[in-house]
Amino acid sequence: ARLPRSAVLKKILDSVKDLVKETNWDCNEEGMSMQALDTGRIVLVEVMLREAAFESYACEVPMTLGIDMEPFGKVLRCAGGDEKVTIKASRNDQDHIELVFENEEKERMSAFELKLMDIDGEHMAVPDAEWGAEISMPSSEFKKIVMDLAEIGSDLTIAVSKLGVTFTAQGNNCKGSMVLQPSTAVDKKSEQVAISFTEPLEMTFAAPYMKMITKAAALSSTVTLSLDEACPICVRYEMEDNAGHIKYYLAPKED
Amino acid sequence: ALMQREIVPYFEAL
Protein backbone atom coordinates (compact mmCIF):
# COMPACT_ATOMS: atom_id res chain seq x y z
CA ALA A 1 0.00 0.00 0.00
CA ARG A 2 1.55 3.24 -1.10
CA LEU A 3 0.32 6.61 0.16
CA PRO A 4 1.35 9.75 -1.71
CA ARG A 5 1.97 11.61 1.57
CA SER A 6 2.83 10.31 5.01
CA ALA A 7 0.90 13.26 6.51
CA VAL A 8 -2.36 11.30 6.23
CA LEU A 9 -1.02 8.49 8.42
CA LYS A 10 0.49 10.98 10.88
CA LYS A 11 -2.87 12.73 11.22
CA ILE A 12 -4.74 9.46 11.69
CA LEU A 13 -2.30 8.43 14.40
CA ASP A 14 -2.70 11.81 16.12
CA SER A 15 -6.48 11.42 15.94
CA VAL A 16 -6.58 8.07 17.71
CA LYS A 17 -3.47 7.79 19.89
CA ASP A 18 -4.99 9.48 22.95
CA LEU A 19 -7.79 6.92 22.92
CA VAL A 20 -6.22 3.75 21.59
CA LYS A 21 -2.81 2.30 22.41
CA GLU A 22 -2.94 -0.78 20.20
CA THR A 23 -5.34 -1.89 17.53
CA ASN A 24 -5.95 -4.36 14.74
CA TRP A 25 -5.95 -2.97 11.21
CA ASP A 26 -8.02 -5.08 8.85
CA CYS A 27 -6.73 -5.08 5.31
CA ASN A 28 -8.75 -6.32 2.37
CA GLU A 29 -9.28 -5.34 -1.25
CA GLU A 30 -11.40 -2.32 -0.21
CA GLY A 31 -8.63 -0.79 1.86
CA MET A 32 -7.40 -0.62 5.44
CA SER A 33 -9.75 -0.13 8.37
CA MET A 34 -9.70 -0.29 12.12
CA GLN A 35 -12.20 -0.21 14.94
CA ALA A 36 -11.23 0.14 18.59
CA LEU A 37 -12.62 0.96 22.01
CA ASP A 38 -10.75 3.33 24.26
CA THR A 39 -9.51 1.87 27.54
CA GLY A 40 -12.31 3.59 29.46
CA ARG A 41 -14.83 2.00 27.07
CA ILE A 42 -16.49 5.35 26.54
CA VAL A 43 -15.54 5.88 22.89
CA LEU A 44 -15.60 3.64 19.84
CA VAL A 45 -13.39 4.86 17.03
CA GLU A 46 -13.48 3.67 13.43
CA VAL A 47 -11.03 4.57 10.69
CA MET A 48 -11.40 3.66 7.03
CA LEU A 49 -8.69 4.30 4.47
CA ARG A 50 -10.18 3.30 1.15
CA GLU A 51 -8.21 2.08 -1.83
CA ALA A 52 -8.79 5.56 -3.32
CA ALA A 53 -6.56 7.03 -0.61
CA PHE A 54 -3.55 5.18 -1.99
CA GLU A 55 -1.35 5.82 -4.97
CA SER A 56 -1.22 2.07 -5.38
CA TYR A 57 -2.87 -0.61 -3.33
CA ALA A 58 -2.88 -4.37 -3.55
CA CYS A 59 -4.16 -6.87 -1.03
CA GLU A 60 -4.19 -10.42 -2.33
CA VAL A 61 -5.39 -12.01 0.88
CA PRO A 62 -7.24 -10.30 3.72
CA MET A 63 -4.86 -9.71 6.63
CA THR A 64 -5.09 -8.36 10.15
CA LEU A 65 -2.20 -6.22 11.33
CA GLY A 66 -1.94 -5.79 15.09
CA ILE A 67 -0.27 -2.42 15.57
CA ASP A 68 1.15 -0.87 18.72
CA MET A 69 0.63 2.87 18.30
CA GLU A 70 3.69 3.97 20.26
CA PRO A 71 6.41 2.39 18.09
CA PHE A 72 4.28 3.11 15.02
CA GLY A 73 4.37 6.79 16.01
CA LYS A 74 8.15 6.67 16.49
CA VAL A 75 8.58 5.25 13.01
CA LEU A 76 6.18 7.75 11.45
CA ARG A 77 8.03 10.66 13.02
CA CYS A 78 10.97 9.71 10.81
CA ALA A 79 8.94 10.49 7.70
CA GLY A 80 8.59 13.97 6.25
CA GLY A 81 4.94 14.92 5.80
CA ASP A 82 5.26 15.08 2.03
CA GLU A 83 7.21 11.84 1.70
CA LYS A 84 5.60 8.83 0.13
CA VAL A 85 4.92 5.87 2.40
CA THR A 86 4.83 2.28 1.32
CA ILE A 87 3.47 -0.29 3.77
CA LYS A 88 4.35 -3.89 3.03
CA ALA A 89 2.89 -6.90 4.81
CA SER A 90 3.90 -10.39 3.78
CA ARG A 91 1.51 -13.27 4.09
CA ASN A 92 4.47 -15.59 4.61
CA ASP A 93 5.92 -13.61 7.46
CA GLN A 94 3.18 -12.02 9.53
CA ASP A 95 5.53 -11.12 12.36
CA HIS A 96 6.19 -7.58 11.14
CA ILE A 97 5.41 -4.98 8.49
CA GLU A 98 7.85 -2.86 6.52
CA LEU A 99 7.48 0.86 6.05
CA VAL A 100 9.44 2.68 3.37
CA PHE A 101 9.53 6.48 3.15
CA GLU A 102 10.60 8.10 -0.09
CA ASN A 103 11.55 11.70 -0.62
CA GLU A 104 11.62 12.10 -4.38
CA GLU A 105 13.14 15.58 -4.41
CA LYS A 106 16.08 14.65 -2.24
CA GLU A 107 16.33 11.14 -3.61
CA ARG A 108 16.30 9.86 -0.07
CA MET A 109 14.75 6.62 1.02
CA SER A 110 14.37 5.20 4.52
CA ALA A 111 13.10 1.81 5.60
CA PHE A 112 11.73 0.57 8.91
CA GLU A 113 10.34 -2.62 10.34
CA LEU A 114 7.50 -2.64 12.82
CA LYS A 115 6.80 -5.74 14.87
CA LEU A 116 3.16 -6.80 14.80
CA MET A 117 1.20 -7.76 17.90
CA ASP A 118 -1.39 -10.39 18.52
CA ILE A 119 -4.28 -8.23 19.72
CA ASP A 120 -7.45 -9.76 21.05
CA GLY A 121 -9.66 -6.87 19.98
CA GLU A 122 -13.39 -6.64 20.52
CA HIS A 123 -15.45 -5.83 17.48
CA MET A 124 -18.77 -4.02 17.68
CA ALA A 125 -21.62 -4.06 15.19
CA VAL A 126 -22.72 -0.48 14.72
CA PRO A 127 -26.18 -0.45 13.16
CA ASP A 128 -27.24 2.23 10.70
CA ALA A 129 -29.14 4.65 12.89
CA GLU A 130 -32.01 7.01 12.18
CA TRP A 131 -30.61 10.13 13.76
CA GLY A 132 -32.81 12.69 15.48
CA ALA A 133 -30.48 15.51 14.52
CA GLU A 134 -27.54 16.08 12.20
CA ILE A 135 -25.24 19.06 12.19
CA SER A 136 -22.45 19.67 9.72
CA MET A 137 -20.00 22.49 10.20
CA PRO A 138 -16.37 23.45 9.62
CA SER A 139 -14.21 21.10 11.67
CA SER A 140 -12.01 24.01 12.80
CA GLU A 141 -15.05 25.78 14.25
CA PHE A 142 -16.20 22.67 16.10
CA LYS A 143 -12.69 22.24 17.46
CA LYS A 144 -12.52 25.82 18.73
CA ILE A 145 -15.95 25.58 20.41
CA VAL A 146 -15.03 22.34 22.16
CA MET A 147 -11.55 23.50 23.21
CA ASP A 148 -12.93 26.77 24.58
CA LEU A 149 -15.90 25.28 26.42
CA ALA A 150 -13.83 22.40 27.82
CA GLU A 151 -11.93 25.07 29.78
CA ILE A 152 -15.22 26.22 31.34
CA GLY A 153 -16.54 22.85 32.50
CA SER A 154 -16.22 19.12 32.05
CA ASP A 155 -19.79 18.55 30.82
CA LEU A 156 -20.58 19.67 27.30
CA THR A 157 -24.25 19.87 26.44
CA ILE A 158 -25.37 19.95 22.82
CA ALA A 159 -28.92 21.13 22.22
CA VAL A 160 -30.63 21.27 18.85
CA SER A 161 -33.78 23.30 18.35
CA LYS A 162 -35.33 25.91 16.11
CA LEU A 163 -32.81 28.35 17.60
CA GLY A 164 -29.96 26.38 16.06
CA VAL A 165 -27.38 24.25 17.84
CA THR A 166 -26.29 25.36 21.29
CA PHE A 167 -23.12 24.13 22.95
CA THR A 168 -23.05 24.73 26.71
CA ALA A 169 -20.51 24.04 29.42
CA GLN A 170 -20.91 24.70 33.10
CA GLY A 171 -18.10 24.81 35.60
CA ASN A 172 -17.93 25.68 39.29
CA ASN A 173 -17.39 29.36 38.69
CA CYS A 174 -18.64 29.99 35.23
CA LYS A 175 -20.99 28.88 32.51
CA GLY A 176 -20.80 29.48 28.81
CA SER A 177 -22.80 28.72 25.72
CA MET A 178 -22.35 29.21 22.02
CA VAL A 179 -25.15 29.13 19.50
CA LEU A 180 -24.70 28.35 15.83
CA GLN A 181 -27.43 28.92 13.30
CA PRO A 182 -27.59 27.46 9.82
CA SER A 183 -25.51 29.61 7.52
CA THR A 184 -27.30 31.21 4.61
CA ALA A 185 -24.73 33.60 3.23
CA VAL A 186 -21.72 31.31 2.89
CA ASP A 187 -20.94 29.97 -0.56
CA LYS A 188 -18.20 27.51 0.27
CA LYS A 189 -19.68 24.22 1.42
CA SER A 190 -16.80 23.57 3.81
CA GLU A 191 -17.64 26.81 5.65
CA GLN A 192 -21.36 26.16 5.96
CA VAL A 193 -23.29 25.19 9.04
CA ALA A 194 -26.22 22.91 8.26
CA ILE A 195 -28.66 21.66 10.88
CA SER A 196 -31.47 19.17 10.47
CA PHE A 197 -33.61 17.60 13.18
CA THR A 198 -36.96 15.95 13.73
CA GLU A 199 -37.55 16.89 17.39
CA PRO A 200 -35.56 19.28 19.59
CA LEU A 201 -33.05 17.34 21.66
CA GLU A 202 -30.41 17.90 24.28
CA MET A 203 -27.57 15.58 25.20
CA THR A 204 -24.55 15.90 27.47
CA PHE A 205 -21.07 14.51 26.82
CA ALA A 206 -17.74 14.54 28.60
CA ALA A 207 -15.80 17.56 27.37
CA PRO A 208 -12.33 15.94 27.79
CA TYR A 209 -13.35 13.10 25.46
CA MET A 210 -14.87 15.53 22.98
CA LYS A 211 -11.55 17.38 22.98
CA MET A 212 -9.72 14.23 21.93
CA ILE A 213 -12.26 13.74 19.17
CA THR A 214 -11.59 17.16 17.67
CA LYS A 215 -7.99 16.17 16.84
CA ALA A 216 -9.28 14.67 13.60
CA ALA A 217 -10.05 18.19 12.36
CA ALA A 218 -6.65 17.94 10.65
CA LEU A 219 -8.06 15.22 8.39
CA SER A 220 -11.11 17.02 7.07
CA SER A 221 -12.36 20.58 6.70
CA THR A 222 -15.87 19.59 7.77
CA VAL A 223 -17.36 17.50 10.54
CA THR A 224 -20.80 15.95 10.95
CA LEU A 225 -22.38 15.44 14.36
CA SER A 226 -25.22 12.92 14.46
CA LEU A 227 -27.34 12.82 17.59
CA ASP A 228 -30.28 10.90 18.91
CA GLU A 229 -31.99 10.92 22.28
CA ALA A 230 -30.24 8.63 24.81
CA CYS A 231 -27.71 7.39 22.23
CA PRO A 232 -24.00 7.91 21.65
CA ILE A 233 -23.11 10.86 19.44
CA CYS A 234 -21.41 10.03 16.15
CA VAL A 235 -18.74 12.54 15.12
CA ARG A 236 -17.71 11.90 11.54
CA TYR A 237 -14.87 13.35 9.48
CA GLU A 238 -14.92 12.50 5.77
CA MET A 239 -11.59 12.78 4.00
CA GLU A 240 -11.41 14.41 0.59
CA ASP A 241 -11.62 12.49 -2.68
CA ASN A 242 -13.43 9.52 -1.13
CA ALA A 243 -10.18 8.59 0.62
CA GLY A 244 -11.98 7.40 3.75
CA HIS A 245 -13.26 8.61 7.08
CA ILE A 246 -12.80 8.63 10.81
CA LYS A 247 -15.83 8.20 13.05
CA TYR A 248 -16.07 8.45 16.80
CA TYR A 249 -19.01 7.23 18.86
CA LEU A 250 -19.05 8.84 22.31
CA ALA A 251 -21.42 7.57 25.01
CA PRO A 252 -23.54 10.25 26.70
CA LYS A 253 -23.57 11.38 30.31
CA GLU A 254 -26.97 10.93 31.89
CA ASP A 255 -28.80 11.03 35.21
CA ALA B 1 -24.19 14.92 38.81
CA LEU B 2 -24.42 13.14 35.49
CA MET B 3 -23.06 9.65 35.09
CA GLN B 4 -20.79 8.70 32.21
CA ARG B 5 -22.25 5.80 30.25
CA GLU B 6 -20.13 3.07 28.69
CA ILE B 7 -20.29 2.75 24.92
CA VAL B 8 -20.38 -1.05 24.72
CA PRO B 9 -24.05 -1.63 25.76
CA TYR B 10 -25.23 0.55 22.86
CA PHE B 11 -23.77 -1.81 20.28
CA GLU B 12 -23.73 -5.49 19.63
CA ALA B 13 -20.46 -7.31 20.25
CA LEU B 14 -19.39 -9.46 17.32
Side-chain angles (χ1 to χ4, degrees):
Chain A
R2 180 194 288 242
L3 283 164
R5 299 184 76 238
S6 80
V8 176
L9 272 187
K10 286 171 182 269
K11 289 173 188 172
I12 289 174
L13 186 81
D14 276 345
S15 304
V16 301
K17 71 175 184 338
D18 291 341
L19 293 163
V20 179
K21 299 300 169 205
E22 49 191 47
T23 185
N24 283 325
W25 281 84
D26 295 314
C27 306
N28 59 34
E29 58 187 16
E30 286 173 27
M32 298 176 68
S33 62
M34 72 90 135
Q35 187 201 62
L37 290 165
D38 78 298
T39 46
R41 302 167 76 81
I42 311 291
V43 181
L44 180 75
V45 54
E46 290 184 341
V47 179
M48 175 78 209
L49 259 183
R50 290 197 192 90
E51 193 198 353
F54 298 91
E55 190 177 287
S56 61
Y57 183 87
C59 182
E60 287 166 21
V61 282
M63 288 180 77
T64 298
L65 312 176
I67 296 200
D68 185 342
M69 295 298 187
E70 199 195 340
F72 186 47
K74 284 180 186 170
V75 167
L76 272 184
R77 275 197 288 277
C78 301
D82 53 359
E83 290 184 3
K84 290 185 182 193
V85 183
T86 306
I87 305 166
K88 298 179 195 174
S90 160
R91 79 174 113 169
N92 299 322
D93 180 1
Q94 301 198 10
D95 174 64
H96 68 278
I97 55 171
E98 288 174 39
L99 290 128
V100 177
F101 307 135
E102 287 170 84
N103 185 322
E104 287 185 331
E105 261 175 41
K106 291 181 182 161
E107 296 179 349
R108 185 179 73 203
M109 193 163 103
S110 34
F112 297 84
E113 281 186 14
L114 182 67
K115 197 168 169 8
L116 294 177
M117 302 174 75
D118 196 10
I119 298 167
D120 191 15
E122 289 171 90
H123 215 76
M124 299 284 142
V126 181
D128 284 330
E130 294 269 328
W131 299 103
E134 282 204 298
I135 302 137
S136 62
M137 68 168 91
S139 60
S140 55
E141 192 162 359
F142 177 59
K143 183 174 182 174
K144 173 151 177 49
I145 290 170
V146 172
M147 298 298 263
D148 288 347
L149 290 179
E151 296 296 315
I152 304 286
S154 59
D155 287 353
L156 180 70
T157 299
I158 304 177
V160 187
S161 73
K162 276 190 285 186
L163 295 173
V165 54
T166 308
F167 299 88
T168 306
Q170 178 146 22
N172 290 332
N173 309 315
C174 47
K175 179 179 176 174
S177 63
M178 297 181 186
V179 187
L180 287 181
Q181 292 182 322
S183 41
T184 47
V186 185
D187 290 339
K188 252 176 119 180
K189 203 160 178 247
S190 62
E191 291 170 11
Q192 283 175 357
V193 176
I195 302 167
S196 65
F197 66 100
T198 48
E199 294 285 328
L201 61 79
E202 187 177 302
M203 303 276 299
T204 299
F205 303 95
Y209 280 100
M210 203 63 98
K211 253 172 89 168
M212 294 181 209
I213 287 174
T214 62
K215 287 217 170 160
L219 280 163
S220 173
S221 58
T222 58
V223 63
T224 303
L225 316 179
S226 304
L227 293 129
D228 209 7
E229 209 66 65
C231 285
I233 186 175
C234 174
V235 181
R236 188 176 90 238
Y237 299 83
E238 286 287 340
M239 291 179 236
E240 280 181 1
D241 303 322
N242 200 32
H245 61 247
I246 179 161
K247 284 185 199 174
Y248 302 88
Y249 295 88
L250 169 60
K253 292 180 88 168
E254 288 176 328
D255 286 328
Chain B
L2 295 174
M3 196 176 83
Q4 175 63 62
R5 301 281 174 194
E6 272 198 21
I7 193 83
V8 178
Y10 292 98
F11 302 125
E12 196 183 326
L14 291 175

